[in-house]
Amino acid sequence: MQRVSFYDQISKNKRNSVLLVIPITAMVVGLLYLIGYLFAPELAFLMVLFGLFWMAMQAMISYQYGDRAVLSVMKAKPADPVKHVYLINTVEGLSLAAGIPPPKVYVIESEEINAFAVGRDPQHAAVGVTTGALENLNRVELEGVIGHEISHIRNYDIRFMMMIAVFVGFAAILSYLLLRGAFFAGGSRRRDERGGGMAALLILMGLILAVIAPIATRLVQAMISRQREYLADASAVELTRYPEGLASALEKIMNKNSGKMEVSEAISHLFFTDPKRSPLDNLFTTHPPLAERIRRLRQM
Amino acid sequence: MWEWILIFVVVIALVIIVALFFSYYNRIITLSNRIDNAWAQIEVQLKKRADLVPNLVETVKGYMAHEKKAIEMVTKARERMMGAQTVKDKMDAGVELAAAMKTIFALAENYPNLRASENFKLLQEQLDGIESKIAYARQFYNDSVLAYNNAITTFPGRWFAKRMGRTELKLYFEAAEKERTVPKVTF
């Protein structure tokens, strides 16, 4: 097997992420235009503008308040400066290695081995681990896991995924509107006679798009998320200079975790590994398979 | 007509060159500042380690009264550390202090009561933490130096760096890897 340097992996992952944003944006713009076309053809362009503006507003709100909401949903408690001194030291050490200010440290009461990172930028970030992780992982393994979360912060992954979630949610709303609109507008459309084959084709395309878009954007979202996980693994190795630590932490997770952590679907992508595991959702899962992550780490 | 096209092309080329110059200038300055910041982070940790000394001496004194030499050594090393002005002095004093503190923790093996005390355990965890933070801060320093040196030696950054009078390579921290082994007192 050819060895891949972590610098190569980082640049490759960044490129892939950017490439994946394009189809999502295209789909949202397409949906907006078709809705406009269906309801008020003269204002279709305005509709696109208004929609994008609306989306930007939504993105701003989750940008400002997203992390606080997430922390309270997770039932994360601030780490105790005496009891968790070792954890706090590890987080501070790795943030020094990454050259970012030390994030706040949280602990979640749970048997499962897991960790998470939130925050829009390195200045407003927090890292948390489960009590299960503190009990089961040794020093190098914990360093690997924390390194992974610190990398998410340094690479601005959390902000990036938050923005994508806004896009995906918006696409779902739009396609719902389009499908409803098609039933109501379908009858009246025929009266104005300027339709012809072209208009019918557009409407048909719109309907197809409306059905496909929510699924397709979810798929792309999951793909981007998986890319980012690989990237964070590679960056964690850049920080700890020890791939085996992270690999053996992942192995422990594979053997010990039951995959039944009580976490809402909406925030599961923020975690180190999927809190809930089911064999059916391979396409939609936000995390790559553990075995593949371990394989890539051992290859470095 | 042709003259206008020529002028247009020249103007575009000039704009590109100026933009490139700005971007390389900013990049080199940013990278250089990052090295200064990385050094400041190391200094913070060195100072924190020195600040552990009075507490350590206080804790240890009662138990190992006749290890005066070792205690004196730490206190001296700390004083030297606090008085150090240049980067090299600080680094040397830091190494000396680390060695002196390691000696104390090694000697503590002979004093079961000391090892069992909560205060001593906490000190040990703090020292472990600081030592690994120093190692990480050094790693970031060396990463920053690498980024800077690459920026001013590869083309075309090399050409811009020369115009900025920044041709001198920054130096790495040699001791980085050795320091990663934390003094560990076995129980």
Side-chain angles (χ1 to χ4, degrees):
Chain A
M1 261 299 166
Q2 196 194 344
R3 293 176 74 84
V4 191
S5 93
F6 48 77
Y7 292 110
D8 292 345
Q9 190 137 24
I10 287 172
S11 52
K12 193 177 136 212
N13 273 295
K14 278 185 183 153
R15 204 170 49 234
N16 285 350
S17 303
V18 172
L19 283 178
L20 287 169
V21 178
I22 297 169
I24 292 193
T25 320
M27 241 174 269
V28 167
V29 169
L31 278 172
L32 277 169
Y33 186 80
L34 278 160
I35 289 181
Y37 184 84
L38 213 56
F39 290 117
E42 306 78 23
L43 301 174
F45 180 68
L46 256 168
M47 180 79 187
V48 172
L49 275 185
F50 175 76
L52 288 177
F53 175 74
W54 177 258
M55 198 160 70
M57 286 289 292
Q58 240 192 320
M60 286 268 286
I61 291 170
S62 56
Y63 179 83
Q64 284 295 337
Y65 304 106
D67 46 345
R68 254 169 287 170
V70 166
L71 281 173
S72 74
V73 169
M74 283 180 182
K75 297 193 189 84
K77 294 195 183 70
D80 184 84
V82 176
K83 204 170 130 202
H84 301 122
V85 59
Y86 166 66
L87 169 68
I88 294 172
N89 276 337
T90 309
V91 171
E92 284 179 0
L94 283 157
S95 60
L96 276 174
I100 59 168
K104 286 182 226 104
V105 186
Y106 286 84
V107 174
I108 303 180
E109 204 67 46
S110 167
E111 301 260 294
E112 299 276 286
I113 305 174
N114 222 328
F116 71 88
V118 291
R120 58 178 185 269
D121 56 34
Q123 278 72 35
H124 301 85
V127 171
V129 298
T130 59
T131 45
L134 290 176
E135 279 154 24
N136 290 307
L137 300 180
N138 66 29
R139 190 180 202 111
V140 285
E141 288 163 351
L142 188 68
E143 276 180 355
V145 172
I146 304 274
H148 174 102
E149 299 305 331
I150 294 273
S151 309
H152 273 317
I153 297 173
R154 190 189 59 175
N155 298 340
Y156 289 83
D157 284 350
I158 303 140
R159 166 148 90 194
F160 187 76
M161 291 314 298
M162 203 162 67
M163 294 300 131
I164 289 189
V166 171
F167 273 66
V168 172
F170 197 58
I173 295 171
L174 286 180
S175 78
Y176 176 77
L177 277 178
L178 194 58
L179 286 176
R180 297 255 334 230
F183 283 112
F184 292 116
S188 61
R189 185 97 325 206
R190 247 163 248 140
R191 263 183 283 127
D192 59 17
E193 307 239 327
R194 80 195 158 91
M198 188 60 197
L201 190 70
L202 257 179
I203 290 169
L204 185 70
M205 270 172 56
L207 291 182
I208 294 172
L209 189 62
V211 173
I212 292 174
I215 305 165
T217 47
R218 276 289 298 279
L219 266 174
V220 176
Q221 180 188 26
M223 276 167 73
I224 296 175
S225 173
R226 292 196 294 261
Q227 287 297 332
R228 292 273 156 167
E229 292 303 321
Y230 284 130
L231 170 60
D233 280 350
S235 319
V237 173
E238 185 193 345
L239 297 180
T240 63
R241 307 275 150 103
Y242 190 62
E244 189 49 37
L246 186 52
S248 100
L250 286 164
E251 229 161 38
K252 272 192 185 165
I253 287 170
M254 199 152 64
N255 296 330
K256 283 198 176 145
N257 272 14
S258 62
K260 288 195 192 81
M261 201 171 162
E262 282 307 313
V263 170
S264 143
E265 183 93 5
I267 53 170
S268 69
H269 64 278
L270 292 169
F271 278 87
F272 176 62
T273 65
D274 257 339
K276 281 188 197 134
R277 235 184 285 154
S278 81
L280 283 173
D281 54 12
N282 262 339
L283 277 175
F284 290 101
T285 183
T286 50
H287 289 70
L290 290 170
E292 174 63 14
R293 282 170 79 178
I294 295 171
R295 194 186 69 78
R296 290 200 187 188
L297 282 166
R298 298 234 154 107
Q299 210 180 300
M300 280 182 201
Chain B
M1 180 63 192
W2 285 110
E3 288 107 20
W4 285 110
I5 292 177
L6 194 67
I7 289 169
F8 184 71
V9 168
V10 167
V11 166
I12 293 284
L14 274 176
V15 167
I16 289 175
I17 288 172
V18 168
L20 266 180
F21 183 80
F22 278 137
S23 90
Y24 273 94
Y25 181 88
N26 287 345
R27 187 171 147 70
I28 287 168
I29 296 291
T30 308
L31 288 175
S32 163
N33 287 345
R34 198 201 286 174
I35 295 175
D36 294 341
N37 173 47
W39 168 249
Q41 298 293 343
I42 296 176
E43 265 193 321
V44 168
Q45 298 305 326
L46 288 179
K47 174 147 192 332
K48 272 193 189 164
R49 183 168 63 185
D51 288 345
L52 278 186
V53 171
N55 205 342
L56 179 68
V57 169
E58 204 53 46
T59 310
V60 158
K61 223 166 40 187
Y63 297 93
M64 30 200 269
H66 49 272
E67 307 280 10
K68 268 211 180 97
K69 242 191 182 156
I71 296 177
E72 233 168 65
M73 220 167 78
V74 195
T75 322
K76 277 235 180 78
R78 175 173 185 259
E79 273 161 19
R80 217 191 123 196
M81 175 90 227
M82 304 304 268
Q85 291 302 325
T86 66
V87 171
K88 194 182 172 333
D89 276 357
K90 276 180 187 160
M91 276 169 62
D92 290 348
V95 170
E96 196 180 305
L97 182 63
M101 287 175 98
K102 270 178 214 175
T103 315
I104 295 267
F105 279 98
L107 282 172
E109 301 228 5
N110 304 326
Y111 303 87
N113 290 340
L114 171 62
R115 275 186 293 147
S117 90
E118 280 303 314
N119 219 348
F120 188 72
K121 277 188 200 156
L122 188 65
L123 273 170
Q124 199 172 356
E125 182 55 52
Q126 280 173 333
L127 181 67
D128 275 7
I130 291 175
E131 291 288 353
S132 72
K133 277 179 211 165
I134 291 176
Y136 280 128
R138 279 184 169 172
Q139 186 180 311
F140 180 59
Y141 182 89
N142 283 344
D143 287 349
S144 309
V145 169
L146 175 68
Y148 177 82
N149 286 352
N150 280 345
I152 65 166
T153 48
T154 54
F155 195 78
R158 186 190 186 90
W159 189 81
F160 290 107
K162 216 171 180 179
R163 305 263 145 344
M164 289 166 69
R166 283 178 176 265
T167 47
E168 208 175 318
L169 291 179
K170 302 264 185 182
L171 295 177
Y172 292 101
F173 255 122
E174 299 296 348
E177 287 315 307
K178 218 190 292 171
E179 279 289 319
R180 282 219 59 174
T181 50
V182 174
K184 198 84 190 166
V185 188
T186 45
F187 286 94

